[in-house]
Amino acid sequence: MAFLKLFFIVTICLSNLGFLINAHPGFSLDLINRESPDSPFYNPDETPAQRLAKAMNRSLDRFHHLDSVQFRDHLNTNVQSEIAFYQGEYLVKIAIGVPPTTIIAIADTGSDLIWTQCLPCNKCLQQDAPPYDPSKSITYRTINCNSTKCKNIPATHCSFDGTSTCKYAINYGDTSFTNGDMACDTITLGSSAGLHILLPKAIIGCGHDNGGKTFTSKVSGIVGLGGGSISLVSQLQPLTGGSKFSYCLVPYTSAETSNSSKLSFGAMATVAGDGVVVTPLFPRAQKTFYYVKLEAISVDAKRIEFFGLKPTGNQQNGNMIVDTGTTMTLLPGPLFAELETEVENVVRGKRFEVASGFPKICYYADSIVKLPQITLHFTGADLVLSSYNSFIDAQENVLCFTFNPLDIGVDFAILGNMAQTNFLIGYDQQKQTVSFKKTDCAIH
């Protein structure tokens, strides 16, 4: 009877999967901005200035991680063992197992692995929700370390306890870490249309030994949206019939309401129509990050060239990472210095003396003569930013530029999520392109 019950449940799950995918080859999930009332991080007592300072510090933490990855990528080493976490800016709810257990995870375009803390815990980080218990899922299976599947996953090794379990080990720059089992289990995605999309035999990491200061009790794991083979995007391809995903991020002012950003897959991820601009991706040996080529930045009619990263082997000409996990847009020092001069020439306002953790360029709002139009010139695509992409209310009567400089010697840039708000941004992994379309994301 127990076997028949198991067979019945699994059969129902798989038949539902076929129905939902066939009827809805594309679907969308809600993305929760960490500063919105729907987020576990939300603090109604914080001021806009406090939120901005925290976001700025998170952006710098994020950069230092990505910078270390660039160095290892140049050396063609295995960088999957260093996955960016750094608290994240957007969250997503998923469920793991049958019956499903809901977790709140960070949606991260800068990583691939889907993982969560699991029982039994040799060492678990404090989190508000109980760790996932795989023993209660009838679809949970560990991966054998001798299998092709394990050998194709970076940063894995065989268990030393004689069980032949495929193990992963992830270390972070601040000595934080997570170690555990690579496994397959059912992932349930709750679409914004109220349907449930099932992803059977999804590859996940089950963390049994975790520690360090990088992590936070507010979330239970991470959902990797990168370009690698084990990201959620890649694992959904057989079900959605394509390699596309897109997102539409509401501005930070809208994030303080219950308006949700959207993360879409399959047919619903298509970005088309008037006003779409398309630029190629420049993948590297480590396929996680989405690199584009920033050729120049214009401040009104003044164009500033970005000579940036020179092509070396498979790195090609990509010099900017499009990243949801970084708030500010971060530029190499020399490029930022030229940009600052041109912004100053247009704004001609009284500079506000910034505190530590604030953007470098801030003005008293009532002294600003004019806000410039900032245009990012990518290969084949000019991205014209609105004022809310380029400037943000930091506190009463203070407006800050959403671009900031990076350390001396850095030769790549990061397109932060403030510059991406109110654009429908679509990634096509098969065509290796990114598309941008100006959109009101609060109603998209």
Side-chain angles (χ1 to χ4, degrees):
M1 290 297 293
F3 172 78
L4 290 176
K5 181 179 179 182
L6 172 61
F7 177 80
F8 176 76
I9 292 174
V10 173
T11 301
I12 289 296
C13 289
L14 294 180
S15 63
N16 282 347
L17 170 68
F19 171 78
L20 289 174
I21 293 300
N22 288 334
H24 301 277
F27 62 94
S28 297
L29 309 178
D30 287 331
L31 278 178
I32 305 169
N33 187 289
R34 64 173 290 132
E35 302 297 350
S36 79
D38 295 328
S39 166
F41 293 98
Y42 181 68
N43 181 355
D45 296 327
E46 284 185 341
T47 65
Q50 290 171 323
R51 292 192 179 104
L52 181 61
K54 286 184 176 181
M56 182 66 198
N57 286 327
R58 291 193 301 270
S59 290
L60 294 176
D61 283 343
R62 177 78 162 183
F63 154 70
H64 287 301
H65 167 77
L66 295 179
D67 188 34
S68 66
V69 171
Q70 308 313 302
F71 176 73
R72 283 184 293 277
D73 198 18
H74 294 336
L75 298 180
N76 292 322
T77 58
N78 181 357
V79 298
Q80 180 62 39
S81 60
E82 292 276 349
I83 295 179
F85 199 88
Y86 293 114
Q87 300 188 22
E89 298 301 317
Y90 290 90
L91 311 175
V92 64
K93 290 182 180 179
I94 68 170
I96 302 177
V98 177
T101 298
T102 300
I103 69 168
I104 297 177
I106 291 169
D108 186 12
T109 54
S111 63
D112 293 327
L113 184 65
I114 305 166
W115 74 270
T116 188
Q117 291 199 121
C118 289
L119 296 175
C121 273
N122 300 323
K123 180 179 181 182
C124 263
L125 296 152
Q126 180 181 358
Q127 64 178 56
D128 295 345
Y132 177 59
D133 186 352
S135 69
K136 294 182 179 179
S137 171
I138 63 173
T139 56
Y140 179 87
R141 299 289 185 274
T142 56
I143 296 173
N144 189 290
C145 70
N146 296 313
S147 66
T148 302
K149 186 176 291 185
C150 180
K151 293 175 181 177
N152 288 338
I153 301 172
T156 56
H157 62 275
C158 269
S159 171
F160 301 114
D161 58 10
T163 61
S164 297
T165 300
C166 184
K167 297 283 188 178
Y168 76 90
I170 298 174
N171 299 302
Y172 299 84
D174 69 347
T175 71
S176 297
F177 61 89
T178 176
N179 303 310
D181 298 335
M182 293 304 303
C184 293
D185 207 344
T186 301
I187 289 180
T188 303
L189 304 170
S191 77
S192 55
L195 298 171
H196 291 90
I197 310 298
L198 302 182
L199 177 59
K201 297 182 180 179
I203 297 173
I204 64 169
C206 212
H208 297 293
D209 183 14
N210 318 288
K213 64 181 182 180
T214 296
F215 306 102
T216 169
S217 64
K218 301 296 184 182
V219 296
S220 305
I222 193 166
V223 172
L225 300 173
S229 62
I230 58 172
S231 74
L232 179 63
V233 179
S234 297
Q235 293 196 62
L236 280 171
Q237 287 184 21
L239 302 183
T240 58
S243 55
K244 297 178 181 178
F245 80 101
S246 69
Y247 53 77
C248 204
L249 307 179
V250 299
Y252 270 56
T253 51
S254 299
E256 293 175 8
T257 71
S258 292
N259 290 329
S260 293
S261 301
K262 293 292 186 291
L263 172 65
S264 301
F265 300 93
M268 289 188 69
T270 300
V271 180
D274 294 338
V276 175
V277 296
V278 183
T279 189
L281 287 167
F282 294 88
R284 300 192 181 187
Q286 206 279 65
K287 296 181 180 180
T288 301
F289 303 114
Y290 297 106
Y291 288 92
V292 294
K293 183 180 180 182
L294 178 65
E295 296 180 347
I297 301 176
S298 287
V299 180
D300 286 344
K302 178 66 176 180
R303 183 181 171 104
I304 306 165
E305 299 295 330
F306 180 9
F307 299 99
L309 191 66
K310 296 179 180 179
T312 55
N314 60 13
Q315 293 168 12
Q316 300 183 14
N317 287 336
N319 58 10
M320 176 175 257
I321 299 171
V322 185
D323 185 41
T324 59
T326 307
T327 302
M328 307 289 290
T329 293
L330 305 176
L331 302 175
L335 176 61
F336 181 83
E338 292 188 58
L339 180 64
E340 180 178 15
T341 297
E342 296 306 324
V343 168
E344 185 84 350
N345 289 341
V346 174
V347 173
R348 289 185 292 166
K350 182 180 178 182
R351 292 283 285 262
F352 173 78
E353 186 175 347
V354 298
S356 175
F358 249 55
K360 188 172 187 290
I361 302 177
C362 294
Y363 296 95
Y364 287 101
D366 58 7
S367 71
I368 293 174
V369 174
K370 175 189 175 185
L371 290 179
Q373 180 174 281
I374 305 296
T375 303
L376 303 177
H377 302 284
F378 299 116
T379 300
D382 292 339
L383 194 66
V384 181
L385 303 184
S386 297
S387 58
Y388 52 75
N389 296 124
S390 306
F391 290 87
I392 187 170
D393 290 313
Q395 61 187 53
E396 187 177 356
N397 200 37
V398 174
L399 209 59
C400 290
F401 194 41
T402 62
F403 291 62
N404 234 49
L406 290 172
D407 297 343
I408 295 174
V410 174
D411 58 3
F412 73 99
I414 302 173
L415 182 67
N417 57 54
M418 283 186 178
Q420 299 177 53
T421 60
N422 272 353
F423 284 100
L424 177 60
I425 302 178
Y427 299 75
D428 190 320
Q429 293 183 345
Q430 184 175 0
K431 293 182 178 179
Q432 286 294 294
T433 58
V434 183
S435 302
F436 298 86
K437 182 180 181 180
K438 197 70 178 174
T439 304
D440 184 348
C441 293
I443 61 176
H444 171 71

